[in-house]
Amino acid sequence: MTKRTLYTLVFEFLLFIPNRGKAESVPNDSLVLDLQSVIQIAKTQSPSAQSARNSFLSAYWNYRYFRANYLPSITLSSSPYINKEVNKITQSDGTAMFIGQDQFGADLSLTINQNISFTGGSLFVKSRLNRLDEFQNKSTNYSASPISIGYQQSLFGYNSLKWDKLIEPIRFREAKKQYAETLELVSATACNYFFRLATAQMELDMARQNYASADTLYQMAQGRYSIGTITENEMLQLEINKLNEESNVMDAQISLQEQLQSVRSFLGLEQSTDIRLIIPDSVPQFSVPLDEAISLATENSPDPDYYKRIVTESKSSLANARANSGLKADLYLQFGLSQTGNELGTAYRNLMNQEYASVSIVLPILDWGRGKGRVRVAKSQLALIETQAEQGMNDFYQNIEKLVMQFNRQAHKVKIAKLTDKRANQRHTVARQLYIMGRNSILDLNSSINEKNAARRSHLSAMQTYWSLYYTIRSMTAYDFERNLPISEELPIE
């Protein structure tokens, strides 16, 4: 057996046996997660998901508040008082006197109110009872109004009930879609965190392997240099490679710890939790139909509702400006029954009609064009919003088309990257064997190592892009194209 053959066998043994043990060792207390596990944790307990739930709950209770404005309200009110002081009292002949008063007054009022969204007015029914005690005269009086029916209305004013009925359902529908979209975007972000950590773990594994290989080559080179089979220049190059790879290991360890901290923070895990990832080897092979994606996005994305809402809100602002720039009139009507008496029972006998009607009118004569200016500003703002909404929808459709086209090509890119990774590993194996046999230079070996590492990085990057695109499309369409099922997120309504 020649010396070169002996060195070759020793090199193969030292290069592969220690490395394989290190690469496959995983701490027993590590949290081992695959991509779907990371996504599920992110959607259930990450701070981003919790923020999305709280935002939706805020929108939900705002919608409940809006709905309550169109339901009857019942109010019970009372304002008792004690008055014991000297007051200036106007007499029946027009003179005034300072008279001491010692009174106790109390009232009780029950009101049922119903807003009318079509007109913007309010219909109410009241029942009222007042009591007044004069302690100086030792007298008690009651005033009762068992029932009063009234209506109040702004004749030419801004009907907020009408516009809220148009705007708020759109806002709540937008909030529901926004919640579902945000959870899918959390999934897309989880993919990015997953592959960043996977890349950091891969970089550390590669750095350790490269260091072990460089160290073994250097140890071998010392023996070969002593017998004159390699030059001093090659010997120094191998030592430099070993030192560089040792530095790379330390850099990779620091980078891995940084990525671990980022992932723990994003997932809401304890900072002491160790994580090891199961990296997927391939991606599903399917395509997303563009027409179907556009149709689903138009129906399920919050963007169309957002643009519809801001246009409607701008129209509401224009209606408000017009209402406040011209004639204003308020109508108030009330009809009821009332009576007074020294006793509670007499206040409910022989009831008398109680009728009241009023119209208040405000007509601006000279406002120096302020009202007209507000209207013109509102018109310009509406035109601007309509233009922005049209442009926004065009960008929305173009974005869907771009994402679908990129995704449909990305699976093939992943396949190419995987094949490139495989071929780069094969080339490195061949270059290593050739170098051991002395038929290849150290530069060719280093080049094969760099190509192997770059191919591995490109493979992971291609898979990261694939899953990020996929969950971004899911966020816009609310549809799982892999399983051909709509995505139905459970709303966190308490």
Side-chain angles (χ1 to χ4, degrees), residues 328-343:
K328 301 176 185 177
D330 295 325
L331 173 66
Y332 184 89
L333 302 173
Q334 182 175 331
F335 171 80
L337 302 173
S338 64
Q339 185 56 275
T340 62
N342 296 329
E343 296 179 358

Side-chain angles (χ1 to χ4, degrees), residues 228-300:
T229 58
I230 63 172
T231 65
E232 183 179 4
N233 180 61
E234 188 172 356
M235 179 68 185
L236 293 173
Q237 182 63 55
L238 289 171
E239 184 177 5
I240 292 173
N241 288 351
K242 174 190 172 184
L243 295 175
N244 287 336
E245 295 300 341
E246 186 176 4
S247 177
N248 290 338
V249 169
M250 291 185 289
D251 291 340
Q253 288 173 336
I254 294 173
S255 178
L256 176 59
Q257 290 303 315
E258 291 176 350
Q259 292 300 327
L260 275 171
Q261 291 177 357
S262 297
V263 170
R264 294 185 194 116
S265 177
F266 175 73
L267 296 180
L269 300 175
E270 295 182 0
Q271 287 300 313
S272 60
T273 305
D274 187 29
I275 300 174
R276 294 293 296 180
L277 299 181
I278 302 175
I279 303 175
D281 185 59
S282 60
V283 296
Q285 299 292 320
F286 66 94
S287 61
V288 175
L290 178 58
D291 293 339
E292 185 179 358
I294 291 177
S295 176
L296 289 168
T298 304
E299 179 182 356
N300 298 321

Side-chain angles (χ1 to χ4, degrees), residues 401-427:
E401 184 176 356
K402 180 182 69 174
L403 289 172
V404 170
M405 291 178 60
Q406 289 177 343
F407 175 78
N408 289 338
R409 295 173 181 173
Q410 191 62 31
H412 187 59
K413 287 186 176 181
V414 172
K415 184 178 180 181
I416 293 174
K418 182 179 180 181
L419 182 60
T420 304
D421 187 13
K422 181 179 179 180
R423 294 293 182 262
N425 274 289
Q426 291 174 345
R427 180 183 181 276

Side-chain angles (χ1 to χ4, degrees), residues 21 23 32 43 53 94 161 195 240 298 343 358 427-428 431:
V32 181
K43 292 176 70 173
R53 291 185 182 93
L161 294 172
F195 282 102
I240 292 173
T298 304
E343 296 179 358
S358 70
R427 180 183 181 276
H428 172 64

Side-chain angles (χ1 to χ4, degrees), residues 102-116:
D102 189 2
Q103 301 172 331
F104 169 77
D107 69 295
L108 187 64
S109 178
L110 180 67
T111 304
I112 302 175
N113 189 81
Q114 173 65 62
N115 292 323
I116 310 298

Side-chain angles (χ1 to χ4, degrees), residues 53-71:
R53 291 185 182 93
N54 291 329
S55 296
F56 172 76
L57 286 174
S58 177
Y60 169 73
W61 288 111
N62 280 332
Y63 183 69
R64 286 282 301 269
Y65 174 79
F66 148 76
R67 291 284 301 271
N69 288 333
Y70 300 85
L71 300 175

